[in-house]
Amino acid sequence: MKSATTVDAENLLSLKTDILEYYLAPILPRECGRSVPKRLKRSVGGTPSIIGGWPWQAAIYDVKRGDIICGGALIHEEWVLTATLCLTIDGTSRARNRDDLIVYLGKHYRNNSLDDEFVQQKQVSSIILHEHSNVWNYDSDIALIRLTKPAILTDRVQIVCLPTGFDLSQQNLENGKQGWVAGWGHDASDILSEELTEVEIPVLSNRKCRNDTIHFTGDPSTTRTLTLNNFCAGYGLETSFE
């Protein structure tokens, strides 16, 4: 379990202005962020989302492991945004073999046998890692997956809106501001979720995030994962949703 969720804010903008604009500027969608209404219930550890509530959510599936290893976001019919850590060989900065990964869109259940006809399965065409990604402190932990075939946009599969500079500014990300996290991570009992789970969490100040992380792990060196490019969100020591 983690005491807070860290988001690579500065490098998301860097990736957007550099890699994303180079590859996607001519074809970025004008319409994004369309989904079904979400529950307003908030719960530490998260609750199962409404099916289709996060239509840009991608599940990155490890063929050899036979399970979801990471989440991602559909930012264009052919592109998924995710973390570099999800796409590198453990302990190295080398990209994984694209044939070892499958991307699922419109997915709700972890178990593939529960998928319905609205789930789309996509092969990986290429992997692009942030050139400054650091596997030791997770700085610039951001990457792109290109799909071999474009996603078909439906009520269950939609494109997420990329953040603006103001969205990720310190002015906007003030302590206590609310945001949402969704994925198939660990729940409050440290068990992997069987359904796509959502939780609304507040932004934490960097000072509180560092203090909580040290207290939670007992290791002062863990604060190296929080750089000037990151911000934290969660419920301090009670946060258990990844």
Side-chain angles (χ1 to χ4, degrees):
M1 296 188 295
K2 297 180 181 178
S3 60
T5 297
T6 59
V7 179
D8 205 342
E10 186 69 25
N11 283 294
L12 180 54
L13 285 180
S14 174
L15 187 75
K16 180 182 176 183
T17 55
D18 296 336
I19 297 178
L20 293 187
E21 287 188 3
Y22 178 80
Y23 286 97
L24 306 179
I27 51 175
L28 281 173
R30 295 182 179 179
E31 182 178 348
C32 59
R34 185 169 65 87
S35 67
V36 300
K38 299 179 179 63
R39 294 183 181 134
L40 297 179
K41 181 180 179 181
R42 182 174 66 188
S43 172
V44 174
T47 56
S49 69
I50 296 173
I51 294 178
W54 302 97
W56 40 80
Q57 179 77 43
I60 301 173
Y61 186 86
D62 185 314
V63 175
K64 294 180 178 178
R65 191 178 300 180
D67 199 4
I68 297 171
I69 57 170
C70 278
L74 187 68
I75 60 173
H76 179 270
E77 287 93 333
E78 294 183 25
W79 294 89
V80 170
L81 182 68
T82 188
T84 291
L85 187 64
C86 300
L87 305 179
T88 51
I89 298 171
D90 291 345
T92 75
S93 58
R94 291 183 290 124
R96 301 185 55 171
N97 188 325
R98 64 183 184 182
D99 295 329
D100 291 340
L101 303 173
I102 294 175
V103 175
Y104 286 93
L105 304 171
K107 189 175 180 65
H108 182 78
Y109 298 101
R110 175 181 293 275
N111 190 332
N112 290 344
S113 67
L114 298 177
D115 288 349
D116 57 23
E117 67 272 21
F118 302 107
V119 175
Q120 299 178 34
Q121 178 179 321
K122 302 295 180 182
Q123 304 296 322
V124 175
S125 170
S126 59
I127 293 172
I128 301 174
L129 307 178
H130 194 292
E131 61 180 347
H132 300 304
S133 62
N134 188 320
V135 298
W136 303 111
N137 67 0
Y138 308 114
D139 200 20
S140 303
D141 184 22
I142 197 165
L144 288 170
I145 294 175
R146 187 169 192 173
L147 308 177
T148 56
K149 294 182 179 180
I152 300 171
L153 300 186
T154 67
D155 287 342
R156 287 271 292 277
V157 177
Q158 288 291 317
I159 293 167
V160 72
C161 299
L162 292 174
T164 65
F166 176 76
D167 291 334
L168 298 178
S169 67
Q170 289 298 316
Q171 177 185 356
N172 187 46
L173 294 173
E174 58 188 12
N175 192 57
K177 187 177 182 68
Q178 296 295 126
W180 288 88
V181 177
W184 291 270
H186 293 84
D187 62 17
S189 302
D190 201 22
I191 298 173
L192 287 172
S193 302
E194 290 300 321
E195 299 179 62
L196 180 61
T197 302
E198 63 184 25
V199 64
E200 187 179 19
I201 54 177
V203 172
L204 294 178
S205 69
N206 285 0
R207 174 181 293 182
K208 179 171 177 54
C209 184
R210 288 190 180 95
N211 290 339
D212 285 351
T213 302
I214 292 172
H215 184 81
F216 184 81
T217 63
D219 180 7
S221 67
T222 58
T223 58
R224 71 183 184 278
T225 63
L226 181 61
T227 72
L228 294 176
N229 294 328
N230 306 124
F231 70 90
C232 282
Y235 291 105
L237 298 179
E238 296 181 352
T239 297
S240 57
F241 185 87
E242 292 184 319

